[in-house]
Amino acid sequence: MPAIADRADVYLERFNDALARAAAEPTWLLERRKRAMERFLQLGVPSLKHEEYKYTDLSALADGQLLFATRPGSAEAALPSYVAGGASDAGPQVLGRVPQGARVQSLAEALRAEPDLVQRHLATIADYEDHALCAVNTAFFSDAVVIQAERGAVLDEPIQLVFGDGPQGSLPRVLIVAGRNSSVQVVETYAGSGAYWRNAVTEIHAEENARVDHYRAQVESLDAYHTGRLQASQQRDSYVSSFSISFGAAVARNDIGTRLNGSGCECSLDGLYAVRGDQLVDHHTSIDHAMPHCNSHQLYKGVLDDRARGVFNGKIFVRPDAQKTDAVQSNKNLLLSDQSEVNTKPQLEIDANDVRCTHGATIGQLDSEAAFYLQSRGIGANRARNLLTYAFAADALERIKVAQLKEHFESLLLNRFASQES
């Protein structure tokens, strides 16, 4: 019996409409969509009974209404300054020029120009067999952004994608393929207005000695649900970094992972979340060390105020062949209120014996002595609080290499809690 039997008709009706619109797609993609739908009907929207979601209540999403609702409003007023004016109801937009050595195409364009590449990678990197939310996206997404960095191309500026309001903005899909010896930066920004569910999936394939730096800036409406999946597949000597910025949404769930398929790979998964009110942000990460001589680094920092809640679950897998692995994982949280809460669980699963792996988590409050010192030098209590909060997050912010992005969120963090006096 399907896990969402009482709501299956709603999803099946929508799925039949989606298949009709996708009738011109190749058979292989239609088959992947059908299999994803089959798995979603079996798995259902995760509930608090699922171990991986026991702190994150997604029950409001079960009937699909927030996913399929058409939102006529514009997100422009909610967009960060660095991308203002860059989104429309028609779907995602690419800001500025596309750097030389890169191609940015719609799904239809990519299927015409590079059908074999799309077939190899689209809906093969991000697993939908055991991930219901990824299955929903795979079954229903109507378009995709396909980014290719040509072999040997070192792109001189980031590719920026903006996802705002509108019916095509609910199920964003991005595929990034970095050719051998290439280097590319991609920034995804998510913002909207009103109540909705955005369910995004990004897949990354990094060829030998390729470098991909990926940023996801989530500043959704405070009435929205944001669920995002980023999954990478890395070949020999490649480097992939992910930086997750979560300031928006009532509930945000970010699943981020990579598999190191060749020796000499390196990855860095980092994040910063700053939430208040009744917001909840949940990060689940997974790094799969499948081959020897690979390094991974993780640093996630959270600032929580009022009744906000944070969840972090980081998993590192070291397979039997992955000797000489070096893996470091850290989650640090700053609670600005006695009512805020964090549940953190770093995990290691090691099946090799010649490795160096460390993990840790901290939860604390502002240093009262440091706050007193600043106030004794004439700095107001609220300003002192903001400065100490910024200082806590500074090393995470330093990992943002896109200047405009870094400057915006530095300023936002400094003023994030300014309206609340200490």
Side-chain angles (χ1 to χ4, degrees):
M1 181 68 67
I4 56 168
D6 56 333
R7 301 179 178 95
D9 289 347
V10 174
Y11 284 96
L12 286 171
E13 181 180 353
R14 295 283 185 173
F15 184 64
N16 289 332
D17 292 341
L19 283 182
R21 292 192 299 271
E25 292 181 350
T27 301
W28 63 263
L29 181 51
L30 293 175
E31 291 302 317
R32 289 176 195 176
R33 290 187 184 278
K34 292 174 183 177
R35 176 58 183 167
M37 185 62 187
E38 179 182 338
R39 286 301 293 151
F40 172 64
L41 291 176
Q42 294 168 348
L43 296 169
V45 172
S47 72
L48 295 174
K49 295 180 180 179
H50 293 74
E51 178 65 22
E52 297 291 298
Y53 290 84
K54 66 180 181 180
Y55 300 113
T56 303
D57 186 1
L58 300 181
S59 59
L61 309 181
D63 62 7
Q65 294 302 312
L66 287 173
L67 182 68
F68 297 122
T70 299
R71 303 186 304 282
S74 170
E76 185 168 344
L79 285 173
S81 58
Y82 66 91
V83 294
S88 73
D89 292 345
Q93 292 220 345
V94 182
L95 290 187
R97 71 177 184 91
V98 175
Q100 186 174 358
R103 279 176 285 178
V104 181
Q105 299 173 304
S106 68
L107 177 61
E109 292 169 337
L111 285 172
R112 288 193 296 269
E114 298 277 358
D116 293 340
L117 178 141
V118 179
Q119 183 174 0
R120 281 197 305 273
H121 302 303
L122 184 66
T124 65
I125 300 170
D127 170 37
Y128 54 78
E129 288 289 336
D130 297 312
H131 294 84
L133 301 181
C134 185
V136 172
N137 182 289
T138 304
F140 288 100
F141 77 90
S142 60
D143 200 359
V145 179
V146 180
I147 298 173
Q148 293 174 258
E150 297 175 1
R151 182 173 179 172
V154 179
L155 307 188
D156 58 0
E157 57 185 82
I159 297 170
Q160 295 206 48
L161 307 179
V162 187
F163 298 88
D165 280 338
Q168 292 192 37
S170 294
L171 292 156
R173 189 87 186 203
V174 180
L175 172 63
I176 302 168
V177 179
R180 185 177 180 181
N181 299 322
S182 67
S183 178
V184 58
Q185 292 180 318
V186 179
V187 180
E188 299 176 18
T189 298
Y190 294 87
S193 55
Y196 55 90
W197 172 19
R198 177 140 26 218
N199 183 27
V201 173
T202 297
E203 297 175 292
I204 297 172
H205 179 74
E207 291 285 358
E208 183 176 341
N209 202 42
R211 180 185 180 107
V212 180
D213 294 294
H214 181 273
Y215 301 88
R216 172 172 286 176
Q218 184 272 106
V219 285
E220 304 275 25
S221 160
L222 294 182
D223 295 316
Y225 284 74
H226 179 100
T227 56
R229 177 91 185 276
L230 171 71
Q231 185 65 40
S233 175
Q234 298 184 231
Q235 303 307 307
R236 183 184 179 95
D237 296 323
S238 63
Y239 175 88
V240 169
S241 75
S242 159
F243 198 102
S244 171
I245 306 170
S246 292
F247 279 53
V251 175
R253 166 67 180 235
N254 300 298
D255 287 271
I256 303 158
T258 186
R259 180 176 171 85
L260 311 179
N261 295 304
S263 62
C265 289
E266 186 171 355
C267 72
S268 180
L269 307 186
D270 304 306
L272 175 65
Y273 44 100
V275 287
R276 57 188 176 182
D278 293 304
Q279 288 180 273
L280 181 147
V281 60
D282 179 348
H283 284 88
H284 272 58
T285 69
S286 174
I287 298 178
D288 192 344
H289 284 262
M291 300 296 287
H293 299 281
C294 294
N295 302 327
S296 66
H297 317 274
Q298 293 184 74
L299 175 63
Y300 284 82
K301 284 200 163 186
V303 182
L304 303 96
D305 202 0
D306 304 321
R307 298 162 303 282
R309 291 182 295 135
V311 180
F312 177 81
N313 187 304
K315 295 180 180 178
I316 297 174
F317 299 95
V318 182
R319 306 301 178 182
D321 292 335
Q323 304 294 347
K324 302 296 183 180
T325 287
D326 190 338
V328 180
Q329 180 189 88
S330 179
N331 174 228
K332 300 180 180 181
N333 298 277
L334 178 64
L335 305 184
L336 300 179
S337 163
D338 292 338
Q339 296 175 291
S340 54
E341 177 184 319
V342 170
N343 293 282
T344 180
K345 186 180 181 182
Q347 294 177 266
L348 300 175
E349 186 175 308
I350 302 172
D351 293 322
N353 54 25
D354 187 5
V355 302
R356 183 171 64 179
C357 298
T358 63
H359 65 155
T362 62
I363 301 172
Q365 296 178 317
L366 288 177
D367 186 333
S368 59
E369 291 186 5
F372 176 79
Y373 175 83
L374 290 174
Q375 292 176 58
S376 71
R377 294 300 185 269
I379 298 174
N382 193 49
R383 184 62 175 167
R385 182 177 190 250
N386 288 350
L387 288 173
L388 290 172
T389 300
Y390 174 82
F392 167 80
D395 57 338
L397 287 165
E398 284 301 317
R399 301 183 182 215
I400 301 176
K401 303 306 180 184
V402 179
Q404 288 182 314
L405 189 69
K406 178 183 176 183
E407 290 168 5
H408 175 82
F409 284 99
E410 281 181 332
S411 176
L412 187 59
L413 184 64
L414 272 170
N415 296 287
R416 178 69 169 169
F417 307 100
S419 61
Q420 303 178 25
E421 293 295 334
S422 300

